[in-house]
Amino acid sequence: MAVKTGKQYTDSLRKIKRNSYILGQKVDDIVDHPINRPAVNAIAESYEIANINDMKAFAAPSSKLCNGPVNRYNALSESVDDMLSRGEMERTVGYRTAVGCPRSTGYDAINAVYSIAYEVDQKYKTPYLERFTRWLKRVQENDLAISGAMTDVKGDREKRPSQQADPDMYLHIVERKPAGVVVRGAKAHQTGAVNCHEHLVMPTRGMNEAEKDYAICFSVPVDAPGLYHIYGRQPSDTRKLESGGSIDVGNSRFGGCETLMVFDDVFVPWEQVYICGENEYTWPLVNRFAIGHRASYGLAGGGVGDVAIGLVVAMAEANGVAHDKIIWDKIADLIICCQTLYGLGLSAMLKGKPTTSGIYFPDYVLGGVAKYNATTLPFQMLRITQDICGGLVATMPGEVDLRHEVIGKYIEKYLRGAAQVPTEHRMRLVRLIECMSLGPLSADLLTMGLHGAGSPYAQKMMILGDYAERIPGLRDLALYHAGIRDKIS
Amino acid sequence: MAVKTGKQYTDSLRKIKRNSYILGQKVDDIVDHPINRPAVNAIAESYEIANINDMKAFAAPSSKLCNGPVNRYNALSESVDDMLSRGEMERTVGYRTAVGCPRSTGYDAINAVYSIAYEVDQKYKTPYLERFTRWLKRVQENDLAISGAMTDVKGDREKRPSQQADPDMYLHIVERKPAGVVVRGAKAHQTGAVNCHEHLVMPTRGMNEAEKDYAICFSVPVDAPGLYHIYGRQPSDTRKLESGGSIDVGNSRFGGCETLMVFDDVFVPWEQVYICGENEYTWPLVNRFAIGHRASYGLAGGGVGDVAIGLVVAMAEANGVAHDKIIWDKIADLIICCQTLYGLGLSAMLKGKPTTSGIYFPDYVLGGVAKYNATTLPFQMLRITQDICGGLVATMPGEVDLRHEVIGKYIEKYLRGAAQVPTEHRMRLVRLIECMSLGPLSADLLTMGLHGAGSPYAQKMMILGDYAERIPGLRDLALYHAGIRDKIS
Amino acid sequence: MAVKTGKQYTDSLRKIKRNSYILGQKVDDIVDHPINRPAVNAIAESYEIANINDMKAFAAPSSKLCNGPVNRYNALSESVDDMLSRGEMERTVGYRTAVGCPRSTGYDAINAVYSIAYEVDQKYKTPYLERFTRWLKRVQENDLAISGAMTDVKGDREKRPSQQADPDMYLHIVERKPAGVVVRGAKAHQTGAVNCHEHLVMPTRGMNEAEKDYAICFSVPVDAPGLYHIYGRQPSDTRKLESGGSIDVGNSRFGGCETLMVFDDVFVPWEQVYICGENEYTWPLVNRFAIGHRASYGLAGGGVGDVAIGLVVAMAEANGVAHDKIIWDKIADLIICCQTLYGLGLSAMLKGKPTTSGIYFPDYVLGGVAKYNATTLPFQMLRITQDICGGLVATMPGEVDLRHEVIGKYIEKYLRGAAQVPTEHRMRLVRLIECMSLGPLSADLLTMGLHGAGSPYAQKMMILGDYAERIPGLRDLALYHAGIRDKIS
Amino acid sequence: MAVKTGKQYTDSLRKIKRNSYILGQKVDDIVDHPINRPAVNAIAESYEIANINDMKAFAAPSSKLCNGPVNRYNALSESVDDMLSRGEMERTVGYRTAVGCPRSTGYDAINAVYSIAYEVDQKYKTPYLERFTRWLKRVQENDLAISGAMTDVKGDREKRPSQQADPDMYLHIVERKPAGVVVRGAKAHQTGAVNCHEHLVMPTRGMNEAEKDYAICFSVPVDAPGLYHIYGRQPSDTRKLESGGSIDVGNSRFGGCETLMVFDDVFVPWEQVYICGENEYTWPLVNRFAIGHRASYGLAGGGVGDVAIGLVVAMAEANGVAHDKIIWDKIADLIICCQTLYGLGLSAMLKGKPTTSGIYFPDYVLGGVAKYNATTLPFQMLRITQDICGGLVATMPGEVDLRHEVIGKYIEKYLRGAAQVPTEHRMRLVRLIECMSLGPLSADLLTMGLHGAGSPYAQKMMILGDYAERIPGLRDLALYHAGIRDKIS
């Protein structure tokens, strides 16, 4: 069956032995490690959604490749409706998990590689699309979780890949063999990659003639020999290891994780190679992956934002200020931030266009603008959320204090706000706010919101690049309105 | 022919004798009065657009009522595509005139009244929709310019209509006659109303049982006896009266105008009355008019924003700074502002839904968020535009100085920037920036952007109102993520 | 000797047995507990500064009470210069510890209580000032660390102290005895209080006639029977407990801590009581404490901001982008934020005025404005800092990974940026940014910046209150400029 | 007598025949020309203030040069108190005129030139300071209004003065004669220069060895042969020419004016030359002039901001919304903007330092930060002001309509808000808001606030330059807190 459940996904992970390190320890069971489990659950939710009846319309589209429903995250983007449905998928995941879904990168990688493989084949008569389609069919049929891997570690930012003192600062081919290639390098900031089945690996920037060995695109299973996954630390990560409670971690069900992936001479058979040396296609590939990802930030942000809105409402009630006009003025600010992200994401999908292969991508300018707003508005939302919550987010004792035989009664007594809300509930709300703004989820919601799919300045460069063709016409338009030209060109 | 040209529109205006006052003078020829002409031209452009071949798809839809193409501004909104096309109409008008179009209010009024008349008829067996449809058919067939009139002068804001010391602070029925009603009151801030053929008049707020005489909706020709149009002053308005040049006014072709409309006991025959006393429908009527209008602000702003972008590019070239990275960083900021408005407008249209009559309205929350952004981003755009332009916008001598026999040579010499741009061109660019940020157009672009379709706080109230039904679900969602509830409800 | 060293302070702490709980455990040695030690060090630094020769001018003023130098934090504020010196003390502490100093609350409490005790005595012939002066002399002579304790837990925010279901939601007298009073209640968010020698306790708001038992001000040693200190959790707090390294905690030397202080029927002898029932003085007392504290936020922020500026410069070098114009544009933004805080703090001190006792307080409006900016600018600074740093702040593996026998070489290799910066140094910079923006220090720098000395809306209310007397004059001024009045009143 | 009255100043202007052009017409009587009169009045107010008893302390200091009181604007800056008093002068002028004072540039020029002349003399044994002191003594004794003239027209911004196609784009010496020099060029954006008695002319940037002819500093009377003053146009400037009323202009008493000054081969005797060819001193000269001016923006802004605060309060009353919590929340925002400007200006003065000549200048970083805030906050204040005011600012009919025999009664009736405020008063308030935000004063308050004393990016460059020496120390500080260095350097 092509659409699996969360449990089927989780069980399938257990069968894979990967090279994974969490806080310096090699981890055999990635699923049940307490630090990682919430991140597994977040992906599992993307499987569950495809099994909920009134969500199937957007979450489980039919695929021509396998003649049946597949998870949206493994589907091709063949229309504006597909893009809008993908957007609804992101919003729903954000809403139901309070964090984004790593499979989002898989979706963008699948569609970017598909469309580029098509174009390379057209020019060079290469067999890339056929290979890729075989792989994708298997992915869809087995409902695999795919992570799109792009960001190299980059070394000295002032130097191109071919100029780096250490040539491995960007992933590249170190050996070509009859059966395939050997690659070396590392991919940083790989959201949730360790919990996927396979990676779809792409270059991180446009490569020039001297960098053909860096112009490589391929898929690889997570347990490929030589591939290491090193877990990144996140705020308060070890609270998940603490025994005896679920409050202090904030959101005990769901979370994110970021991994440094090291390719220490990983062998990739030709069957898994989808670009190899056609460097002029690296920039379009990066751009197509990125625009899908950028546009989707707004939509996921809309879902997570809804959690924040509900949270401050609940907190205002717990504090006894739910009737204050000023509080609602701030809640309106929060809604405006959240819906600005959501609306901009939608607009990018709506104005998307197809490439020659028939794959659709969001509008570049609107997608970039959605993402740019996603680098600023979450910080405003964090401030508003903490503002309404009050100082406890920085000062509240822990669950062990609440349960303590001596001081527990003081916590119970003095941390109560409005009478109808139990102290423990109020504490849980405070912890969730801490979790989202300064705690485990904050790294994903704020920092990765800032830098994911490109840092703020990268966004601006891409927006300017995508607007460039309109600029001469707009300059003439201004000359027209200034009375210098007679007609709108 | 149902789709007229700009010239046909202009000629038709000349035949109407209306009670119009500009700067204290009764004006017979509203078309050729220099202060008003740019505002006439802006409306004329909305006629022209419907005659441009590659714009007809969105600008001249087919109407069932008159079996042929009509101007978009007189069309019913019967699908999401209709709303998106209307959005494209707004963007195009903004782009081509650097200001919004007054007929926009007509479109929103037509659709709001149609949908409400339908619902009132369903409940009360009234004949409103039939009357209204007769009127609309005539409007479409003659391609009339309609202004939607809503905002009452309101008097003391702390008091309801029925509590005002002067009962005329809100327009109301003062006499009922066998053939119709007599109304008294005034509508403020009526953008471009004086240059339309007819007004479609609505209440400005929800009315209660005691205010049934205020629950009146009707159409009236601009030359109705007892109806006065009093022109508002705008920055630098009299520059349009200065002889001998076109530079100082900034945009000499297009402009806006705002009118105070006074109804001094105007008689309205029953045939033109579409609601009369059904006060429970006033709030939905206001809301539907407003949401259409709010959503459209973003889209018009996208068009006007494009003018601003072209303008700063041209100015940067004239100043010799077009290669500066920092300048382009600021241009990126400008694009982000402009496209945020545009994208949010689009999203509101995309997520719009039909009412029982089949008339579609934009999504209330997204439309409100689009409008709220339109109350803040234009001020940022103003600042960026002036920043890139330089201090001349506040200090530049006039065209008469440039043409002067003694000092003209100094102006010519010293106001030149980069060699390839003639001094006069640079001066024209500066004047257009002044026009849009501190001059004739600024009142419409900034102040009316702030207050049109409701002031910022009104926007927030409406957003909160429209979000209200989601709030309990979101609070429960937060409780779920905080570990207080077990399931997403 | 009245000015002690950091070591003397630390040693003195060890002699005190207090009721302290950290993460649910009763802690005997508060000094050497790894979670608390950085907070002890931050206070110790305030002692050290008073011993550095070129800082003594502001850090160790001469006191009339004990005829010699005392630590600035225990000094009376008797001139504008005193206030400016106190400001310099705050900036220096922020600069040298990257966090604020808890003794700051002691300073503000000492001066507020002194000035109010003077005024109450004038009116009621009470002996408060004499008592207080005896206490203060001892504090100065022994260079005690004092915490000012104000914020009650408040319960239901919609209800006054006397209306709460649980009367203990605000600290109050539960019994009057011949030798003193017994108090009950709790003080929340007590920054660093656990590491002080004594608390100076004040009411948290203006009390009315029915709340005379809540109008109590007194000092109490930290080891008073019935007094509990319960440590609040902060982001990544347990990283300080991890063995084998100093990187992951970010700033391993300095930190803050927040405590919930519970008064479970604590007996306070009359000699330590400085107000008791004179409820009309509670509001001025709160206001004087708060204004000192508000103004000082800007100055401390200036010092911490300097750390952030240096940090992004170092990070830009480590990333190889230190020559990029855009990076420096962002660094300029950071300097502007930081110096806005600093400058506003200075201005509040400069415009301060004396009360009848001779004690000076900062200007209320400027101090409030400094604090209000401190509720917004740090969030902008956080965003800029993370922007320049890059995504690693959310994804970087830990020190244990760097030291690991298998994967350590990958970390070393792939996390290197510019060649001249060792990988470990780059990692330390990233961790310090995480520490300040999402980690251990963030709770104090962001959340307590937001809520300390009053939440944003409280700041606005106080600013409006303090501006109120100017409003009629300003309204008349506007009428003058509008041509309605003939003269400036 | 050294301190003159406003009337004495005004009378003295009438005796000077200058080459002045307003809107293309040569103007003999610059005082009574309706367009210029408000700008004359604003300067006159600076004379009046020095005669008001309780303002003399800051407005009329004693001068050693002429042994008696002089106007602050002509005084030397010899202490921090002098700088603070100058700041109070700026605030007072802003408060009393709703616009800044052009003599502010004179003050900054006097002090910058004095201090540089001293240093040049020290190095080259030149007679500049002696000459300058003779001139200054005369200026003080006759209480002349001096304008400091700096900003050249600059031509192509990408090219240095010596690289311009037209060498006159920066003012320079075109001939050296035995008795003096002949200069040619133009100074743009000269605030109020036409209404002063003399100009003190300085270079606009650092000049290099090839640009010694551009390194010239001198004074010149306004009626020097070959010197032209060409009036810049400002929004709604000709409303001042309209007969029959005072409402529409907004502020009918006070205003600003900007002039393009052309030096068409003006002869300057050696006695009036204070630098001539010492190009290495041009950058410090520019910097000292600029920092004085930058710091003063904040203080003037504080005064003008008070007018805005009073205005929105009056408007809220006229609209009947003076009791609304949300309105006061916005007024608090306005106060925060206004006092942020004021406080930052104060802090720059407080932290100022002397140069070797004994002349004090404000702190460069704080002054730059004050000015940078003055390029952003006024735009926020404009938005808040218009927000509270309502849409009338863009749509209100004029005074001639109010006085009209037919329509006047409608204006009277329908533009009334709260009953107790006469319609005319409400209209005057609206017009003053228009005047300050989109009308005559807006060019000075917004655009010149943005660009005066350097555009925003210039401010950032100067702030970075002035912070540069601290940067290495701050980087080391960050390394210390990151655990990389052991000590604070």
Side-chain angles (χ1 to χ4, degrees), chain A residues 158 264 320 375 383 410 451, chain C residues 158 264 320 375 383 386 410:
Chain A
E158 278 192 331
D264 189 1
T375 72
R383 181 184 176 276
Y410 299 131
H451 290 291
Chain C
E158 279 192 331
D264 190 2
T375 71
R383 182 184 175 274
Q386 289 201 350
Y410 299 131

Side-chain angles (χ1 to χ4, degrees), chain D residues 32-292:
Chain D
D32 291 319
H33 191 292
I35 283 190
N36 189 52
R37 185 61 201 238
V40 170
N41 290 346
I43 297 184
E45 192 73 11
S46 78
Y47 284 87
E48 285 299 299
I49 290 167
N51 288 283
I52 296 173
N53 275 334
D54 59 2
M55 298 188 182
K56 286 180 181 171
F58 64 82
S62 183
S63 163
K64 292 173 208 154
L65 283 183
C66 63
N67 282 320
V70 298
N71 191 290
R72 170 63 62 188
Y73 281 128
N74 290 338
L76 289 174
S77 170
E78 295 173 306
S79 67
V80 165
D81 274 351
D82 276 350
M83 289 191 290
L84 290 168
S85 291
R86 181 264 175 103
E88 192 55 23
M89 187 78 184
E90 300 291 354
R91 201 199 64 77
T92 305
V93 169
Y95 186 94
R96 294 176 71 91
T97 68
V99 68
C101 180
R103 294 177 82 185
S104 179
T105 64
Y107 179 89
D108 291 316
I110 285 167
N111 282 285
V113 174
Y114 184 101
S115 72
I116 291 292
Y118 174 92
E119 292 176 28
V120 177
D121 286 3
Q122 292 285 313
K123 181 166 174 189
Y124 291 113
K125 310 301 171 198
T126 37
Y128 295 145
L129 187 63
E130 199 184 325
R131 280 184 201 164
F132 185 76
T133 306
R134 276 195 296 274
W135 174 79
L136 180 59
K137 187 164 186 292
R138 182 168 57 80
V139 165
Q140 289 186 343
E141 285 175 348
N142 293 282
D143 203 358
L144 301 182
I146 304 300
S147 84
M150 178 167 278
T151 311
D152 285 291
V153 292
K154 295 198 191 89
D156 189 330
R157 269 70 179 160
E158 280 193 329
K159 294 175 179 153
R160 293 191 56 86
S162 52
Q163 296 169 329
Q164 297 283 332
D166 179 345
D168 306 337
M169 290 297 101
Y170 290 77
L171 187 146
H172 63 132
I173 301 171
V174 290
E175 191 182 353
R176 289 161 195 266
K177 295 188 172 181
V181 293
V182 178
V183 297
R184 189 188 299 158
K187 294 288 184 181
H189 322 312
Q190 297 303 304
T191 305
V194 71
N195 298 321
C196 290
H197 300 95
E198 299 205 17
H199 307 306
L200 184 49
V201 183
M202 300 158 286
T204 201
R205 56 171 293 167
M207 299 295 172
N208 63 24
E209 286 289 311
E211 293 158 348
K212 283 184 171 291
D213 283 348
Y214 294 86
I216 174 89
C217 172
F218 59 90
S219 66
V220 70
V222 287
D223 58 354
L227 176 56
Y228 293 79
H229 300 84
I230 305 173
Y231 223 83
R233 297 211 68 168
Q234 293 193 330
S236 301
D237 44 10
T238 55
R239 286 199 194 168
K240 299 175 196 163
L241 299 175
E242 296 174 3
S243 58
S246 67
I247 297 181
D248 293 2
V249 77
N251 189 327
S252 61
R253 289 190 192 89
F254 301 112
C257 74
E258 306 293 335
T259 332
L260 175 69
M261 284 175 19
V262 175
F263 292 77
D264 189 2
D265 293 359
V266 171
F267 175 74
V268 184
W270 289 119
E271 176 65 15
Q272 293 162 222
V273 175
Y274 312 121
I275 294 185
C276 187
E278 296 83 1
N279 63 285
E280 74 273 32
Y281 285 95
T282 48
W283 177 240
L285 175 57
V286 169
N287 229 6
R288 290 183 196 173
F289 171 78
I291 188 54

Side-chain angles (χ1 to χ4, degrees), chain A residues 86 104-105 108 288-298 371 452-453:
Chain A
R86 182 266 176 103
S104 180
T105 64
D108 291 316
R288 289 184 196 172
F289 171 78
I291 188 55
H293 213 50
R294 279 184 265 157
S296 73
Y297 261 87
K371 177 66 212 325

Side-chain angles (χ1 to χ4, degrees), chain A residues 92-159:
Chain A
T92 304
V93 168
Y95 186 95
R96 294 176 71 92
T97 68
V99 68
C101 180
R103 294 177 84 185
S104 180
T105 64
Y107 179 90
D108 291 316
I110 285 168
N111 282 286
V113 174
Y114 184 101
S115 72
I116 291 292
Y118 175 93
E119 293 175 29
V120 177
D121 286 2
Q122 291 284 313
K123 181 166 174 190
Y124 292 112
K125 310 301 172 197
T126 37
Y128 294 144
L129 187 62
E130 200 183 324
R131 282 183 199 164
F132 185 77
T133 305
R134 275 195 296 273
W135 174 79
L136 180 58
K137 187 165 184 291
R138 183 169 58 82
V139 165
Q140 289 185 344
E141 284 174 350
N142 293 282
D143 203 358
L144 301 182
I146 304 300
S147 83
M150 178 168 277
T151 311
D152 285 291
V153 292
K154 295 198 190 89
D156 189 330
R157 270 70 179 159
E158 278 192 331
K159 295 176 179 152

Side-chain angles (χ1 to χ4, degrees), chain C residues 6 19 60 105 125 139 148 180 209 283 291 358 360 373 382 409 449 479:
Chain C
N19 256 334
T105 63
K125 310 299 171 200
V139 165
E209 286 288 313
W283 177 241
I291 189 54
Y360 278 68
N373 276 277
L382 144 64
K409 61 181 179 291
L479 299 184

